[in-house]
Amino acid sequence: MFLDSLGMAMQPSVLLLIALGTIFGAIIGALPGFSSVMAISLLLPVVYPMDPLMGLLVLGSIYMGAMYGDANAAILLNIPGTASALPTTFDGFPMAQQGRAREAMLAALAGSVFGGATGVIVLMLTFGVLAEFSLRFGPQEYFWLTVLGLTTIAALSEGNLVKGLAGGGLGIAISMIGLDPYWGLPRFTFDARPLVAGVHLIPALLGLFCVAQVLTSLETPAGDRRPPEIGQQKDVLRKVLGTMVRRWDVMVRSSAIGVLIGMLPGAGGPIASTISYNETRRWDRDSSSFGKGRVEGVFASETANNAMVGGSLIPMMALGIPGNVNAAVILGALLSFGMRPGMSLISDGTGIATAFMIGLLISSILLAPLAYFIIIRFSILVLRVPRTYLAPTILVFAAVGAYSVTNSSYGVAIMAVMGIGGYALRRIGIQAAPVGLGLILGPIAEREFTSSLLIAQAQGSYWTLVLRPISLVLVALCLLSILTPLLLTLRDRRRRLAAGPEEDPQ
Amino acid sequence: MTTRPLELVLLGATALFCILLMVEAWQIRPPARVFPQVVLGTTLALTLLALARAVLRPAEERLFTPGQARIVLAAAVGLVVYVLAMSVNYLASTFVFLLAAYLFLLEERSRRGIVTAVIVAAVATLFTWMTFSGWLGVNLP
């Protein structure tokens, strides 16, 4: 079975798609203001008609590429391509200012390859164990798992737990428009015929993560954004690889942090790379030199945020709970292909899941030659393209992509409404991630809840919804994910009050 | 102008949306009615809580700086017009949308800039048409 999957992943057409996906992801990831989620969601309509393995590999490769690509703008312009690359700016940009831009970019590449490969290997080793454990899950456990996914994403929404949870609820409410899954009758359509088809997931995600992001990027003035010339550095590749081997502790620790953080639903690249950078600095003998051009700082940040790729896919593939928003969008694609997370991915006999993981490993390894010979040069060219041309072009790609999924203007209308609505919600503090997750997990939650309810009615007790060992643990985790931010806020408030007026300049 | 008016309108609209759906949910036969009612009820409660907080909290954050409003609103309106026009003819509407957007966002409308905008708009339109219509077989209008 493994050999069959290996054969599937090594076909020339598959390898070509992996390479193209990696390059595309790296280039989009390099563009400040454009996120890795946008890169993935932009290609959703393109992969939708594809063979499931090819489609998943394109999206996975984009994810892997974007987690590396964001480093180039961070190093050259001091602007992280995505939030995950913020710690890369701390030492990467000073290195560029010291004439060591090439060294910084190659360090980012080496870290990304090492971290990415490590994360995928851990995914391959642990996915089966976790998926087998998921066989003990009934509808009740799956229902609480989806609630856990929703609450943790919402709880980590910037600033406001209430708004995050409301956003998740809104996403679920929108996903309910269309046909009732139980009776097969139209519901919440208000007699509008197009709404009987429901709100299609892909145009909605395009709107939320692509259109809304473009509108957000238009808020800030583009300014003069010219990356500096890189120049030549002698023997820099050998120097970087030598440092990487000598500082194996940084590589291993950063990979572990990336994988573990990636597995936590709701945590993401920014948390992984920041924690990894802080830990590397803390454990270093000369921690005061960090922030002034230490290559270990770049290693730490980039290794962690690429290791997070594999980590975030572990709960997604095994349990259907995405580790972060990128994994959530890939989960949406998985469901669109008619596949279900869990043991069925292994036992269905197609070998697609294993081939997907092998393909991701290939993507992380291929990143080395692709970035060295192509991506770095391309990124610098693309970084010179003014936002004037990029933003409208991306809107057109999103619109035609939305049209292609539904073969009608209905898809484009969904994209526009979700995009403008999503942007407006962002301005009032309701982020796209909880809404998007509600859209993706809502139908799953409803199906499992209704099944659980029927089982409870047949058994004559509604307590069976909660009083099962695994369900109890999941309910406790849900409560913890909601209560923890509240308790932390209360603790901070109490500390501020206890500190008294001395700390208050007013 | 602060974000408060927008916040009140959006949260109010969300609350109204939940109420309308809850009213419709009563017409669904059980057990399919339970999940929508639970979700909508919870979302309504959270939205009303957020609304109350928005009313009681002092307004601080600015909605837009003067330059921002013009660009973002123009982009949103332009997108809506493009979506409507796209259903009539893809090539013409896309070229016009891209050209108008590029010219609007150009910091300096020099002759060279305008010519570049026309060429890029044409190339981008043809590229998207060839990718989706030619390669992926999508039946664009």
Side-chain angles (χ1 to χ4, degrees):
Chain A
M1 172 76 143
F2 180 81
L3 289 173
D4 291 337
S5 298
L6 183 64
M8 283 162 73
M10 296 293 285
Q11 289 174 61
S13 55
V14 174
L15 290 174
L16 180 63
L17 277 175
I18 290 172
L20 290 174
T22 309
I23 293 172
F24 178 78
I27 289 170
I28 296 286
L31 296 169
F34 298 106
S35 64
S36 52
V37 178
M38 173 195 273
I40 296 171
S41 57
L42 206 52
L43 268 280
L44 275 176
V46 177
V47 306
Y48 185 62
M50 279 184 181
D51 168 73
L53 174 63
M54 300 245 197
L56 287 172
L57 277 173
V58 168
L59 298 180
S61 308
I62 291 171
Y63 187 11
M64 190 68 77
M67 287 294 109
Y68 154 68
D70 56 9
N72 292 328
I75 291 164
L76 296 176
L77 297 174
N78 200 27
I79 305 170
T82 68
S84 306
L86 179 61
T88 307
T89 64
F90 301 160
D91 283 281
F93 186 63
M95 286 177 75
Q97 288 179 312
Q98 292 160 15
R100 296 159 60 206
R102 190 177 290 277
E103 184 184 346
M105 292 171 86
L106 289 177
L109 173 59
S112 297
V113 171
F114 185 90
T118 307
V120 176
I121 289 169
V122 173
L123 167 65
M124 289 168 82
L125 293 173
T126 60
F127 163 68
V129 170
L130 214 53
E132 214 174 306
F133 176 66
S134 75
L135 285 176
R136 298 185 208 178
F137 283 40
Q140 301 90 331
E141 283 75 26
Y142 275 110
F143 169 67
W144 288 114
L145 260 182
T146 53
V147 174
L148 178 63
L150 283 162
T151 53
T152 43
I153 287 276
L156 289 164
S157 298
E158 281 172 40
N160 201 317
L161 171 64
V162 171
K163 282 183 175 172
L165 290 172
L170 180 61
I172 301 177
I174 294 170
S175 77
M176 292 193 294
I177 296 172
L179 288 179
D180 182 331
Y182 192 79
W183 300 112
L185 298 170
R187 66 175 179 183
F188 310 136
T189 59
F190 303 102
D191 295 327
R193 274 188 74 185
L195 289 178
V196 174
V199 176
H200 203 289
L201 186 60
I202 290 171
L205 294 179
L206 271 173
L208 274 175
F209 294 114
C210 206
V211 173
Q213 185 65 47
V214 168
L215 292 175
T216 304
S217 77
L218 289 174
E219 284 175 0
T220 49
D224 186 16
R225 196 182 66 202
R226 295 200 167 278
E229 297 302 324
I230 296 184
Q232 293 294 324
Q233 273 179 264
K234 272 191 164 183
D235 298 329
V236 68
L237 180 60
R238 201 163 9 147
K239 184 180 175 186
V240 165
L241 292 175
T243 310
M244 192 175 149
V245 168
R246 204 176 61 248
R247 295 310 309 266
W248 61 269
D249 57 311
V250 172
M251 309 307 289
V252 169
R253 182 174 49 238
S254 303
S255 299
I257 290 171
V259 171
L260 287 170
I261 300 286
M263 281 174 65
L264 299 175
I271 298 172
S273 55
T274 305
I275 291 177
S276 174
Y277 181 86
N278 282 337
E279 288 304 302
T280 299
R281 189 178 58 173
R282 202 156 64 88
W283 286 92
D284 196 270
R285 274 180 230 154
D286 184 18
S287 57
S288 61
S289 62
F290 275 76
K292 295 169 188 162
R294 286 287 301 272
V295 71
E296 289 87 344
V298 176
F299 276 135
S301 174
E302 289 303 311
T303 305
N305 80 16
N306 269 72
M308 186 226 28
V309 172
S312 66
L313 294 176
I314 295 171
M316 188 277 278
M317 291 182 68
L319 302 170
I321 299 302
N324 57 26
V325 185
N326 294 297
V329 178
I330 296 176
L331 172 63
L334 195 83
L335 297 170
S336 301
F337 289 133
M339 297 163 72
R340 267 195 79 161
M343 202 58 197
S344 58
L345 281 180
I346 298 178
S347 59
D348 64 2
T350 60
I352 287 177
T354 313
F356 171 62
M357 289 184 274
I358 294 170
L360 274 184
L361 185 61
I362 294 172
S363 171
S364 62
I365 296 167
L366 267 185
L367 194 53
L370 286 174
Y372 190 77
F373 293 109
I374 301 173
I375 295 173
I376 287 177
R377 277 165 233 249
F378 238 77
S379 296
I380 293 165
L381 278 173
V382 170
L383 280 171
R384 293 178 199 268
V385 175
R387 183 195 62 182
T388 299
Y389 298 114
L390 265 178
T393 312
I394 287 176
L395 284 180
V396 164
F397 262 97
V400 75
Y403 183 95
S404 69
V405 168
T406 56
N407 250 318
S408 74
S409 302
Y410 176 59
V412 194
I414 293 174
M415 181 211 77
V417 169
M418 295 299 291
I420 294 170
Y423 170 75
L425 287 172
R426 221 182 259 215
R427 290 312 312 270
I428 66 165
I430 298 179
Q431 300 301 318
V435 181
L437 210 59
L439 278 168
I440 294 168
L441 294 182
I444 304 172
E446 180 171 15
R447 185 181 62 230
E448 304 302 342
F449 179 80
T450 310
S451 302
S452 306
L453 207 61
L454 290 170
I455 293 171
Q457 284 173 349
Q459 291 179 344
S461 168
Y462 289 108
W463 286 111
T464 57
L465 274 162
V466 185
L467 289 180
R468 287 159 59 97
I470 300 175
S471 294
L472 276 171
V473 171
L474 292 170
V475 171
L477 288 172
C478 290
L479 289 171
L480 203 62
S481 76
I482 294 172
L483 290 172
T484 305
L486 279 170
L487 293 171
L488 288 173
T489 308
L490 278 168
R491 185 195 66 177
D492 287 341
R493 208 172 282 169
R494 216 175 284 153
R495 273 192 190 158
R496 273 202 302 272
L497 286 169
E502 297 104 38
E503 285 197 5
D504 185 352
Q506 293 178 351
Chain B
M1 187 176 157
T2 63
T3 55
R4 182 185 283 180
L6 181 65
E7 198 171 354
L8 296 178
V9 165
L10 283 179
L11 290 174
T14 305
L16 187 63
F17 177 67
C18 291
I19 292 168
L20 287 172
L21 262 55
M22 280 175 82
V23 167
E24 264 229 22
W26 276 109
Q27 295 168 23
I28 303 172
R29 281 183 288 153
R33 174 202 294 177
V34 180
F35 182 83
Q37 287 180 327
V38 169
V39 167
L40 292 167
T42 310
T43 307
L44 179 63
L46 290 165
T47 306
L48 290 174
L49 179 57
L51 195 56
R53 281 183 175 182
V55 168
L56 295 170
R57 197 183 66 234
E60 284 167 8
E61 201 188 327
R62 254 183 117 167
L63 182 57
F64 288 122
T65 60
Q68 273 179 358
R70 191 177 71 97
I71 293 177
V72 173
L73 290 174
V77 169
L79 180 63
V80 171
V81 172
Y82 173 56
V83 167
L84 294 170
M86 192 186 158
S87 58
V88 176
N89 184 285
Y90 172 75
L91 283 169
S93 61
T94 302
F95 176 74
V96 169
F97 170 75
L98 283 175
L99 183 60
Y102 295 158
L103 292 175
F104 183 76
L105 291 171
L106 266 178
E107 281 165 9
E108 234 182 82
R109 272 184 216 126
S110 62
R111 194 170 170 176
R112 186 182 166 160
I114 293 171
V115 169
T116 308
V118 170
I119 295 170
V120 174
V123 168
T125 303
L126 282 172
F127 180 76
T128 55
W129 183 75
M130 282 183 343
T131 304
F132 283 89
S133 185
W135 177 36
L136 295 172
V138 177
N139 211 7
L140 291 171

